[in-house]
Amino acid sequence: MLNQLIPWVITIFIFIWLYSTIDFRQIFKILGQAQLSYFIPFMVGFVILLGVIDSFTFGQAYSWFCTHLTAYERLEVRIAPYIFQVIFAQLADVFVLLYLWRKKGVHPTHALSSTIWTMVNDYAAFATMITIAVIYNIKYKLIPQINIYWLMAVIIFWLLYFLNLIFWHSSLQPRIAARIERSHKEKLGKRESDNLLLRMMGEIIQLLRTFSMARWYHYLFVYGLRILALTGVLVSNCVALKSLGINISVSLALVAIPIINLSYFLPINIAGFGGPQAISILFLYEIGHCGSKEQIVAYSLLWSTSFLICRFFFGLVS
């Protein structure tokens, strides 16, 4: 219950702060001048592309590591939950787990393991663009705030990512994979009265199941598609900015837009409203000086609203 309330509380506080610091009448005036004739068709195409990629990354991971899914089932399991984002984005992930459990008999921790594994590769796609931007920016010193500490952060991420890859391709992999599978079978045979701590540890171990099964070519396939999805995110946000007459440098776009997009899927917003607007102000107003606060919030609201509506209708027809 508390986890569901936190995004609402954060969003309310952000909008109170926005209302006290910016002129919403000016925002609506800016939105009224937006060039929507090319933005809306582009956004519709982007959401369709993203839905297909979601289905053949998250959905494909479930099919590889949990249970066989047809092409339609992969689309259904990822796109149908889009309608829940209107209420609370994280409900979509719960719906996926319930769908696989009730319809396919997949244990929830196994499905969650595949979700986490796919998200790790999604973060690697985010990190790729941010790494390119950070190195480019450090070389040409375009934005002082994007400095050596950013470089250290991406180095740490890549170090952990490749250590994970190396570990699961080492000689230890067969033994650990067998131990994870044995732990699952042992757990199925235990009574509900057995030690709660042992049962919890057994569940946590199962979250490593997909990592123990995935090979390098699985990583490469999902990473490549998530790069394509993130490219669509980057271009669609740039089109939204352009439709409002806002210019942004390449290096800032490569850093800011992936982070802004990532905030849509964190518990700091409701249906794309709240956290994304605050982070947009941080990067595009405070750091990038791309326009006024009203222009930046107008851009963020335009993209969030379009993303929400397009995904909702895509979920309805799936």
Side-chain angles (χ1 to χ4, degrees):
M1 183 66 179
L2 182 60
N3 290 338
Q4 295 176 359
L5 287 175
I6 288 174
W8 287 93
V9 172
I10 292 174
T11 300
I12 290 170
F13 272 105
I14 288 173
F15 270 91
I16 291 173
W17 169 69
L18 288 175
Y19 186 78
S20 65
T21 57
I22 61 177
D23 184 354
F24 270 81
R25 288 174 298 180
Q26 183 66 20
I27 289 175
F28 291 127
K29 182 179 178 181
I30 293 169
L31 287 171
Q33 298 171 348
Q35 301 295 317
L36 301 180
S37 58
Y38 60 89
F39 170 71
I40 291 177
F42 192 94
M43 198 66 183
V44 170
F46 161 67
V47 169
I48 293 173
L49 173 66
L50 183 61
V52 173
I53 291 175
D54 268 357
S55 301
F56 286 91
T57 51
F58 286 95
Q60 185 63 55
Y62 303 136
S63 188
W64 277 334
F65 307 118
C66 297
T67 184
H68 175 70
L69 298 176
T70 64
Y72 176 76
E73 286 173 331
R74 275 174 270 171
L75 287 167
E76 183 180 46
V77 77
R78 284 306 303 181
I79 297 175
Y82 282 178
I83 60 176
F84 290 105
Q85 69 173 335
V86 176
I87 306 169
F88 185 45
Q90 283 68 31
L91 280 178
D93 294 324
V94 175
F95 179 87
V96 170
L97 300 182
L98 289 174
Y99 173 95
L100 292 171
W101 181 33
R102 297 298 297 271
K103 187 171 182 178
K104 292 292 186 176
V106 175
H107 195 279
T109 53
H110 292 174
L112 183 57
S113 175
S114 293
T115 299
I116 294 171
W117 176 81
T118 308
M119 289 174 63
V120 167
N121 288 286
D122 198 21
Y123 292 150
F126 279 100
T128 299
M129 289 196 172
I130 293 173
T131 301
I132 294 170
V134 168
I135 293 173
Y136 180 84
N137 188 77
I138 289 175
K139 181 178 180 181
Y140 293 102
K141 297 180 174 57
L142 301 174
I143 305 168
Q145 292 89 342
I146 301 175
N147 50 33
I148 192 67
Y149 296 109
W150 282 78
L151 183 61
M152 291 171 62
V154 295
I155 288 173
I156 291 171
F157 172 84
W158 287 118
L159 182 63
L160 294 174
Y161 182 81
F162 283 110
L163 283 175
N164 163 74
L165 197 59
I166 292 168
F167 177 79
W168 292 112
H169 285 76
S170 71
S171 58
L172 292 172
Q173 185 272 337
R175 284 180 285 172
I176 297 176
R179 178 69 185 91
I180 292 171
E181 187 62 28
R182 187 165 65 251
S183 172
H184 178 61
K185 292 179 179 178
E186 290 173 355
K187 183 174 66 66
L188 292 177
K190 289 182 179 179
R191 302 185 304 274
E192 289 296 320
S193 59
D194 288 341
N195 188 283
L196 176 62
L197 181 60
L198 290 177
R199 294 209 316 268
M200 289 178 60
M201 290 300 297
E203 295 288 355
I204 293 171
I205 289 172
Q206 293 308 307
L207 295 178
L208 297 174
R209 183 174 182 270
T210 296
F211 291 88
S212 72
M213 299 170 67
R215 300 291 85 199
W216 65 267
Y217 45 85
H218 296 130
Y219 279 86
L220 188 61
F221 177 85
V222 171
Y223 169 78
L225 286 180
R226 296 317 298 183
I227 283 285
L228 179 60
L230 190 54
T231 301
V233 168
L234 185 67
V235 175
S236 67
N237 275 269
C238 288
V239 171
L241 287 163
K242 191 69 176 176
S243 71
L244 294 172
I246 302 171
N247 296 315
I248 184 172
S249 67
V250 174
S251 59
L252 181 61
L254 288 173
V255 171
I257 290 175
I259 295 174
I260 292 168
N261 180 257
L262 183 61
S263 70
Y264 284 88
F265 306 99
L266 297 177
I268 58 172
N269 73 95
I270 297 298
F273 301 100
Q277 286 73 50
I279 295 174
S280 295
I281 289 175
L282 172 63
F283 279 98
L284 304 184
Y285 175 76
E286 298 290 346
I287 294 177
H289 308 295
C290 298
S292 67
K293 278 187 180 180
E294 286 78 10
Q295 283 181 302
I296 301 307
V297 173
Y299 138 74
S300 186
L301 292 176
L302 175 63
W303 197 93
S304 293
T305 304
S306 303
F307 190 60
L308 174 70
I309 293 172
C310 290
R311 277 168 55 101
F312 177 76
F313 282 106
F314 198 14
L316 283 179
V317 301
S318 66

